[in-house]
Amino acid sequence: MNVNSERNITLIMDFYELTMAYSYFKKKRQEEIVYFDMFYRKNPDNGGTVLAAGLQQVIESIENMHFSEGDIEYLRSLNKFDEDFFDYLRKFQFTGTIWAIPEGTPVFPYEPIVTVKGKIIEVQLIETFLLVSINHQSLIATKTRRVVQEAKGRAVMEFGARRAQGYDGANYGARAAYIGGACGTATVMAGKMFNIPVLGTMAHSFVQSFENEYEAFKAYAEVYPDSCILLVDTYDTLKSGVPNAIRTAEEVLLPMGKRLAGIRIDSGDIAYLTKKARAMLDVAGFHDAKISVSNSLDEYLIRSVLEQGACIDSFGVGENMITSKSSPVFGGVYKLAAVENKEGHIEPRIKISENREKITNPGYKKVYRLIEKETNKAIADYITFADEVIDANNDLVIYSQLDKWKNKTLPAGSYEFFELQQLVFDKGKCVYPNYSLEQIRQRVIQQERLMWDEIFRLEYPHSYYVDLSEKLIDFKLKMLQEKRG
């Protein structure tokens, strides 16, 4: 479902995009061709990688990008632009070319996740919704992946809508969480929009609305005998909730030929309560009843309770996942990398900063993943100028981002490679497949198999390298020297 075809989000842009565009327009620079890279500098939560997500929403936004008369009327009211610029905006259409790393791929700092080539105004005006889409969904997909990893094969349900930053945060966060490995969402709109399984049973208010807990459980079991999961912590989990769940199973479900599907615990000492509840259910003969837990869970708490022997079959994770509460900002940036001169030659551009991490890699580039043949594991990602050719039959020397002395040689025949970015838009036309979320989830599994497990450690993960070609590092160091005088 393309929600952006039903509403106009073109003005989700920073105002400086319009002021720059207007300046380019007035100086008759609108036909100039430029190249921008979208990348990031640091993994959230001090993790080892990021799971790319949000590309589909970028595609939808660009395909539906247009300035309505209402948009133009608002911009006119700002008294910053002339009427000839509004005529330009009325006819606006993105005609550029975009390459991007597919959703569901592990990515790393400083490599171009998205590269955009096009007319300078067009490339500038897509900046904000490109960043907000990929920054947000990559952040939530990455957080979810960490949670799913620590659940050790147990189902993780996304329960965070009410704590998300707005309804778009809830919907697109649910999409990202599903990419990250959640088995479903409690958000019904996300289920409709993205065909994600929707999950949910009852709240404490349902139990409270009846005269007593047993009557609430009995009513629910009669309505949902095939999927009866009872919330057992409204009053007292072990003295009331679990005993009443067992009574309901025995007195309501068994006479119908049905079994209790499970119970959910939403408060208290999860490790202790689940062990006690499991024992009570087993003694009563309900070995097949599952135990689900929720209540402010994150990857660290999940790891901890499982280490303590908690008897849990599934987790409902809300605010800590849908907001990536422990690391709530993903710092993706969008930087000019090159311009084409009038003769069509590509001239690299570099941004220099006193902070080493803010120095950009110049030029129109490609990024590759290098795979060691012996282990079929990724060695590093490798950035080159776009016109460079890799020959796996020759030795390959890869260089650190800023220090040429720090390098590594890959012997001929010991490695293979593939290009990470795929063509998404070709001269304004989308040529990218409309991958289903199931296909994207499968890509996550396939691509993670190429990574060493140590990259996914929660604490002190292995540092994965994104290195440069000799031609690129030499050009970068030369530009740094020239620009600094």
Side-chain angles (χ1 to χ4, degrees):
M1 178 180 179
N2 183 352
V3 69
N4 292 327
S5 65
E6 300 176 5
R7 62 175 179 170
N8 181 13
I9 64 168
T10 299
L11 290 188
I12 296 182
M13 60 176 62
D14 290 288
F15 190 51
Y16 76 177
E17 292 165 33
L18 283 164
T19 59
M20 288 188 290
Y22 183 60
S23 179
Y24 295 141
F25 179 80
K26 298 304 284 186
K27 295 299 180 180
K28 302 187 185 305
R29 296 182 59 191
Q30 58 265 38
E31 296 299 317
E32 290 184 16
I33 302 298
V34 296
Y35 298 75
F36 272 71
D37 290 332
M38 184 265 162
F39 61 95
Y40 73 99
R41 301 184 179 106
K42 184 180 179 182
N43 293 320
D45 281 311
N46 294 314
T49 185
V50 158
L51 195 59
L55 178 60
Q56 184 59 39
Q57 281 59 58
V58 174
I59 293 170
E60 294 170 3
S61 299
I62 291 174
E63 287 186 318
N64 293 284
M65 189 176 182
H66 66 280
F67 290 86
S68 68
E69 285 303 317
D71 294 337
I72 290 171
E73 187 61 33
Y74 168 71
L75 295 177
R76 182 183 287 113
S77 73
L78 301 177
N79 296 317
K80 294 285 188 179
F81 313 110
D82 291 341
E83 288 298 319
D84 54 352
F85 185 58
F86 298 141
D87 290 337
Y88 170 83
L89 294 181
R90 284 189 182 93
K91 301 173 185 176
F92 182 89
Q93 185 177 5
F94 182 79
T95 62
T97 299
I98 296 178
W99 301 264
I101 297 177
E103 293 185 276
T105 305
V107 293
F108 299 91
Y110 301 106
E111 63 190 11
I113 298 174
V114 181
T115 296
V116 185
K117 171 190 175 183
K119 297 176 182 179
I120 190 167
I121 294 179
E122 297 177 18
V123 172
Q124 194 72 74
L125 291 182
I126 69 171
E127 175 180 1
T128 301
F129 61 66
L130 185 154
L131 286 172
V132 74
S133 297
I134 292 178
N135 282 349
H136 173 241
Q137 290 196 49
S138 296
L139 179 70
I140 306 307
T142 302
K143 183 67 170 181
T144 304
R145 201 68 192 151
R146 290 165 60 87
V147 172
V148 169
Q149 172 183 299
E150 295 309 312
K152 304 300 182 186
R154 298 164 179 84
V156 172
M157 302 167 282
E158 186 280 302
F159 280 0
R162 64 192 60 194
R163 304 282 165 73
Q165 276 92 354
Y167 43 81
D168 275 347
N171 284 327
Y172 293 114
R175 178 185 188 273
Y178 194 61
I179 289 173
C183 66
T185 179
T187 306
V188 179
M189 178 60 81
K192 177 186 176 185
M193 289 171 62
F194 308 118
N195 196 30
I196 300 172
V198 290
L199 308 162
T201 54
M202 65 172 68
H204 295 110
S205 60
F206 180 85
V207 179
Q208 293 172 281
S209 71
F210 287 82
E211 184 176 343
N212 59 60
E213 190 173 50
Y214 174 72
E215 290 300 321
F217 288 177
K218 178 175 180 290
Y220 194 84
E222 289 171 343
V223 175
Y224 295 104
D226 295 313
S227 57
C228 184
I229 298 176
L230 302 172
L231 181 62
V232 297
D233 70 319
T234 302
Y235 303 118
D236 188 304
T237 301
L238 300 180
K239 293 181 179 179
S240 173
V242 177
N244 277 321
I246 292 171
R247 180 184 173 191
T248 302
E250 292 173 338
E251 296 180 2
V252 181
L253 292 171
L254 285 182
M256 300 168 65
K258 306 295 183 181
R259 301 284 293 178
L260 177 66
I263 63 171
R264 179 164 71 93
I265 301 173
D266 189 49
S267 61
D269 187 324
I270 292 172
Y272 173 78
L273 292 175
T274 57
K275 286 186 280 189
K276 289 290 187 179
R278 180 75 273 161
M280 294 168 70
L281 290 167
D282 289 349
V283 168
F286 298 105
H287 304 274
D288 53 339
K290 306 297 184 184
I291 299 178
S292 176
V293 299
S294 48
N295 186 32
S296 297
L297 300 172
D298 64 9
E299 63 268 44
Y300 296 101
L301 182 54
I302 287 173
R303 180 176 67 180
S304 178
V305 298
L306 291 180
E307 287 175 348
Q308 295 165 35
C311 298
I312 300 171
D313 298 290
S314 62
F315 298 91
V317 187
E319 62 190 59
N320 290 318
M321 192 163 74
I322 201 67
T323 66
S324 187
K325 185 177 179 180
S326 58
S327 188
V329 177
F330 183 62
V333 295
Y334 187 71
K335 299 297 182 183
L336 179 69
V339 300
E340 280 190 16
N341 62 25
K342 294 180 179 179
E343 289 73 38
H345 296 137
I346 300 173
E347 299 177 350
R349 294 287 191 268
I350 190 170
K351 179 188 179 297
I352 299 177
S353 171
E354 293 298 320
N355 299 324
R356 283 170 60 96
E357 66 272 11
K358 289 194 172 184
I359 298 173
T360 62
N361 291 316
Y364 168 38
K365 302 174 291 294
K366 289 186 177 181
V367 56
Y368 299 89
R369 185 146 291 165
L370 304 175
I371 307 297
E372 185 179 46
K373 285 185 176 181
E374 182 180 357
T375 61
N376 197 37
K377 296 292 186 181
I379 306 167
D381 287 355
Y382 180 57
I383 306 175
T384 74
F385 283 122
D387 60 357
E388 293 189 68
V389 176
I390 305 175
D391 185 351
N393 294 314
N394 294 328
D395 290 354
L396 181 66
V397 184
I398 59 179
Y399 296 86
S400 177
Q401 295 273 333
L402 278 170
D403 302 301
K404 191 174 181 184
W405 61 268
K406 189 176 182 181
N407 58 69
K408 179 176 182 177
T409 300
L410 309 182
S414 70
Y415 65 94
E416 54 191 10
F417 60 91
F418 62 91
E419 190 173 342
L420 279 174
Q421 289 185 334
Q422 294 182 12
L423 185 63
V424 178
F425 280 87
D426 186 11
K427 297 178 181 178
K429 180 181 179 181
C430 180
V431 296
Y432 190 73
N434 185 14
Y435 292 109
S436 69
L437 285 185
E438 298 304 327
Q439 290 174 308
I440 296 170
R441 282 161 60 91
Q442 190 60 38
R443 181 183 293 121
V444 173
I445 296 170
Q446 293 168 348
Q447 290 298 311
E448 285 187 349
R449 286 176 183 154
L450 298 175
M451 298 290 152
W452 292 99
D453 291 342
E454 291 80 358
I455 288 172
F456 303 105
R457 280 197 301 256
L458 295 189
E459 292 95 2
Y460 306 106
H462 171 73
S463 294
Y464 183 87
Y465 293 104
V466 177
D467 287 339
L468 309 182
S469 69
E470 184 173 25
K471 183 177 178 181
L472 179 53
I473 185 64
D474 284 345
F475 197 94
K476 180 178 181 177
L477 294 176
K478 179 182 177 183
M479 290 192 77
L480 282 172
Q481 185 176 22
E482 290 175 350
K483 296 296 183 182
R484 286 172 170 168

